[in-house]
Amino acid sequence: MIVQRGILIFPIGPASHFHGGVPVVFHRRPMPQIPLHHHPIPLYPPQFQSRVPVFRVVGAPICRQGSVKKADQFKVRRVCRYNFKVEIAVIQSLIRAGYRFASFDTEFPGTVVKSEIPKHLISQAVLVDVYKKKHRNGYEFPDTIRSETWKRQILNVIGNGYKMMKTNVDQTHIIHLGLSLSYPFGNFPVYDGAYCCWEFNFNDFDVDCANHLRNSVSIDVLKRQGIDFSENKCTGICSADFAEEIKRSGLVELLPCLTWATFQSAYDFGYLIKMFTGNKELPEDIKEFMGNVKTYFGPNVYDIKYMMKFCDGLFGGLNSVAETLGVDCVAGSSHQAGSDSLLTLQTFAKMLKMEKNKGKRLWEECGGVLFGSGNLDFWHHC
């Protein structure tokens, strides 16, 4: 047998062929950084056009609403180190076939560094639309914020919030990554006879290792929700191998072409940016971090937590918002990355279908804004 990168692959001959009958172990190569300059395929037209979008991608079929397969059940596809290359290939083919709405969610060991920012300042910074007002000379604060002291205070709160997120992401490891895809008009992909979403399990976090920082309350919650840390340790994916395959397969070039639905996603983007840059520490400056988000994921990023500002009667966490809108959890359970990503995408689609052009306003007003972090273009012009 042969062991490559610490994984038993397949038998190629008697054990006596190896020195002393012991298989050779090849050490993992350092993870190369994914380049920041991609050449993505063109973006599709906005979904609010009169006709159904048709996506023409070289080597992929033309997909219309009528050609979508139907199923009667949802399945969260568990992805580990034995099948993650196959599942990444499936995801890539679905994106090329027209599934251009996506959502993702991460599970991690909780926050190990607490915020020192007063809560009333955080609420002021995230509730005031300081990011979106565009003028001829770039992005500026709206007219309602005239005090220079308030402007500096808001930017300092956002900057300190980013530093807290950076410190937590740098010192902890990702556990799960959930991913869901859909057409712009809400149909989900069918694979193996069921609607599906994906849950990638990583082995970077070792619950038995004292050096791996964690929030014990968060770990207890994840255990109660059914996350098997021992199974992840044995069969999980190394995040470096995951990022390398994303690059090798070409999937990284498709990510900026998607419309991303998220919920309070600063930490989620933080862990993915960390993986994509070779498990290096996040940038010191929020401006560089937001630039990385736009480069890797494109400009069409929506954060439901920010979109709630424009909707009466929506408050609380993802489950509360989904319940208010009448969106049911159809697969898995809460605090599991796969099911949470699916619920996020369903909730996002429901918000875009709100009456009296509310959905169209959300589409036009909320793109490119991360709750508590600002507008991607605002930081670019800062």
Side-chain angles (χ1 to χ4, degrees), residues 2 12 35 80 96 121 153 167 174 193 197-198 213 215 253 283 289 293 314 333 349 368 370 381:
I2 185 169
I12 61 173
C80 58
R96 291 188 178 277
L121 292 181
Q153 188 178 57
T167 303
I174 189 172
C197 60
W198 291 265
L213 301 182
N215 184 311
E253 298 179 0
F289 171 76
V293 171
L314 295 183
S333 60
L370 299 187
H381 289 89

Side-chain angles (χ1 to χ4, degrees), residues 1-20:
M1 294 186 178
I2 185 169
V3 177
Q4 186 176 17
R5 299 188 183 183
I7 304 174
L8 193 63
I9 304 299
F10 53 83
I12 61 173
S16 59
H17 289 182
F18 301 99
H19 297 288

Side-chain angles (χ1 to χ4, degrees), residues 26-58:
F26 296 92
H27 296 284
R28 180 178 291 109
R29 300 191 303 272
M31 170 58 199
Q33 180 173 341
I34 295 177
L36 288 177
H37 301 289
H38 313 311
H39 300 283
I41 56 181
L43 289 172
Y44 53 84
Q47 71 165 33
F48 292 102
Q49 294 186 357
S50 57
R51 62 184 179 88
V52 174
V54 178
F55 308 108
R56 300 180 181 272
V57 184
V58 176

Side-chain angles (χ1 to χ4, degrees), residues 4-188:
Q4 186 176 17
R5 299 188 183 183
I7 304 174
L8 193 63
I9 304 299
F10 53 83
I12 61 173
S16 59
H17 289 182
F18 301 99
H19 297 288
V22 179
V24 180
V25 176
F26 296 92
H27 296 284
R28 180 178 291 109
R29 300 191 303 272
M31 170 58 199
Q33 180 173 341
I34 295 177
L36 288 177
H37 301 289
H38 313 311
H39 300 283
I41 56 181
L43 289 172
Y44 53 84
Q47 71 165 33
F48 292 102
Q49 294 186 357
S50 57
R51 62 184 179 88
V52 174
V54 178
F55 308 108
R56 300 180 181 272
V57 184
V58 176
I62 297 176
C63 298
R64 299 179 184 271
Q65 184 171 5
S67 64
V68 178
K69 295 181 180 180
K70 303 295 182 182
D72 56 1
Q73 61 178 338
F74 263 99
K75 179 181 180 181
V76 179
R77 299 184 63 83
R78 176 178 170 83
V79 186
C80 58
R81 71 185 184 201
Y82 302 113
N83 66 339
F84 80 98
K85 292 185 178 181
V86 174
E87 296 296 332
I88 287 177
V90 171
I91 292 169
Q92 184 177 8
S93 66
L94 289 171
I95 293 174
R96 291 188 178 277
Y99 290 91
R100 300 298 181 85
F101 273 29
S103 66
F104 71 97
D105 182 71
T106 61
E107 298 297 341
F108 50 92
T111 56
V112 295
V113 178
K114 299 299 182 181
S115 173
E116 298 179 357
I117 307 172
K119 290 186 177 180
H120 72 280
L121 292 181
I122 297 177
S123 62
Q124 287 179 11
V126 299
L127 290 179
V128 176
D129 186 6
V130 301
Y131 331 106
K132 195 60 179 174
K133 192 171 181 64
K134 187 175 183 180
H135 298 273
R136 287 178 297 178
N137 297 326
Y139 285 80
E140 300 177 2
F141 285 92
D143 296 335
T144 53
I145 304 179
R146 296 188 176 92
S147 169
E148 291 296 329
T149 302
W150 192 9
K151 293 178 183 180
R152 288 194 300 269
Q153 188 178 57
I154 289 176
L155 291 178
N156 286 337
V157 169
I158 295 174
N160 290 334
Y162 168 74
K163 291 179 181 178
M164 185 194 72
M165 182 273 288
K166 166 184 160 53
T167 303
N168 281 288
V169 171
D170 289 343
Q171 295 185 11
T172 57
H173 302 81
I174 189 172
I175 298 173
H176 277 176
L177 168 66
L179 176 69
S180 296
L181 299 173
S182 79
Y183 275 124
F185 35 79
N187 292 297
F188 294 91

